Amino acid sequence: MARLESKKGLILGIANEHSIAYGCARALHAAGAELAITYLNAKAEPYVRPLAEGLDSPLILPCDVTAPGQLEAVFAAIGARWGRLDFVMHCIAYAPKADLHGRVTDCSKDGFALAMDVSVHSFVRAARLAEPLMGGGGCLLSMTYYGAEKVVDFYNLMGPVKAALEATTRSLAAELGAEGIRVNTLSPGPLKTRAASGIEHFDELMEKAAAKAPEHRLVTIEDVGALAAFLVSDEATSITGDTIYVDAGYHVVD
């Protein structure tokens, strides 16, 4: 297991105990990291706060990236509490249902812009805010999906959005590498999470993924968390700018 006892990090995107972000948070905490954890709003807080408290998080903060100042307030609180930051785990994505369930051809300008803002630009903003706290280097991680690379039935608008996230990862890695800040995106196979439930016919997508993957199974949030812990660790200091698959081999089979 990766050793993270001296590291402090921020987890963005836990919705409940089934979230990929929570699987990552558990793995990072088990490896010794101290975590700041956010929740979307007052409605989400009762689901997230007990999980964060169970991980001994000293900072449990609201963060709606569409609300002016909230992301900035999170980083200000981290600066005041710790004065530094070693990693950020960004597990946030959103598209309006009408745009997500329709053709990309038909998506609205506002829906496309909102999906890009929440799912991609908030990662850019987090990188910019984390940079001054990572004087000794650090690690930025986000979550993508195979639908960024190939057309996946019913993934629709999120395909172009996740493709933009992967391209953004490469740009951030190139720009921040001289400061010792590594930037990668993880590409899990389909998991049954709250976010994924918004995709039409998602159960069918999962069945196809399990049948197609060389290991003939779906991955778990624990699988993703183990990879995240390794990437945050000092053993992964030469890995940056990559899309790293954790999908039981799903992406290698046509």
Side-chain angles (χ1 to χ4, degrees):
M1 178 181 289
R3 306 292 295 185
L4 306 176
E5 284 85 355
S6 64
K7 296 192 182 294
K8 303 181 185 298
L10 168 63
I11 309 293
L12 298 163
I14 295 178
N16 55 41
E17 70 274 17
H18 304 297
S19 298
I20 293 174
Y22 180 55
C24 293
R26 285 195 307 183
L28 293 160
H29 175 259
E34 190 172 17
L35 305 175
I37 290 175
T38 68
Y39 55 90
L40 177 61
N41 52 31
K43 183 178 179 180
E45 183 178 4
Y47 298 95
V48 179
R49 182 171 289 277
L51 303 177
E53 290 174 346
L55 298 174
D56 304 315
S57 298
L59 291 169
I60 307 171
L61 303 163
C63 186
D64 177 348
V65 295
T66 67
Q70 283 203 6
L71 186 62
E72 290 77 6
V74 168
F75 280 89
I78 289 170
R81 175 85 184 206
W82 292 332
R84 66 180 180 88
L85 192 62
D86 296 295
F87 63 89
V88 175
M89 181 102 239
H90 178 282
C91 302
I92 302 173
Y94 175 77
K97 184 177 290 188
D99 296 288
L100 179 61
H101 289 178
R103 302 188 307 168
V104 175
T105 305
D106 299 322
C107 73
S108 68
K109 177 181 177 180
D110 289 345
F112 186 88
L114 181 58
M116 288 290 290
D117 182 43
V118 173
S119 310
V120 183
H121 193 254
S122 67
F123 185 49
V124 175
R125 291 168 56 205
R128 183 167 62 247
L129 292 163
E131 183 179 10
L133 295 172
M134 292 184 169
C139 179
L140 305 173
L141 298 174
S142 64
M143 290 290 163
T144 186
Y145 177 61
Y146 183 62
E149 180 181 339
K150 301 290 186 181
V151 175
V152 173
D153 288 343
F154 310 114
Y155 201 56
N156 300 342
L157 177 58
M158 290 310 296
V161 169
K162 290 296 189 180
L165 179 65
E166 293 183 9
T168 297
T169 294
R170 293 188 289 272
S171 293
L172 293 175
E175 293 173 358
L176 300 174
E179 299 174 56
I181 299 174
R182 297 172 286 116
V183 191
N184 292 293
T185 187
L186 284 64
S187 186
L191 294 98
K192 198 170 185 65
T193 63
R194 179 180 170 186
S197 67
I199 299 171
E200 288 188 306
H201 304 284
F202 191 73
D203 288 342
E204 179 182 339
L205 189 155
M206 288 195 299
E207 290 174 6
K208 288 182 178 179
K212 176 180 173 181
E215 293 185 8
H216 299 298
R217 69 176 181 92
L218 298 175
V219 297
T220 66
I221 61 173
E222 289 77 20
D223 293 326
V224 185
L227 177 58
F230 167 69
L231 290 171
V232 166
S233 75
D234 293 339
E235 284 74 31
T237 53
S238 295
I239 301 173
T240 192
D242 287 326
T243 296
I244 302 172
Y245 297 94
V246 51
D247 62 1
Y250 172 73
H251 70 285
V252 305
V253 182
D254 287 333

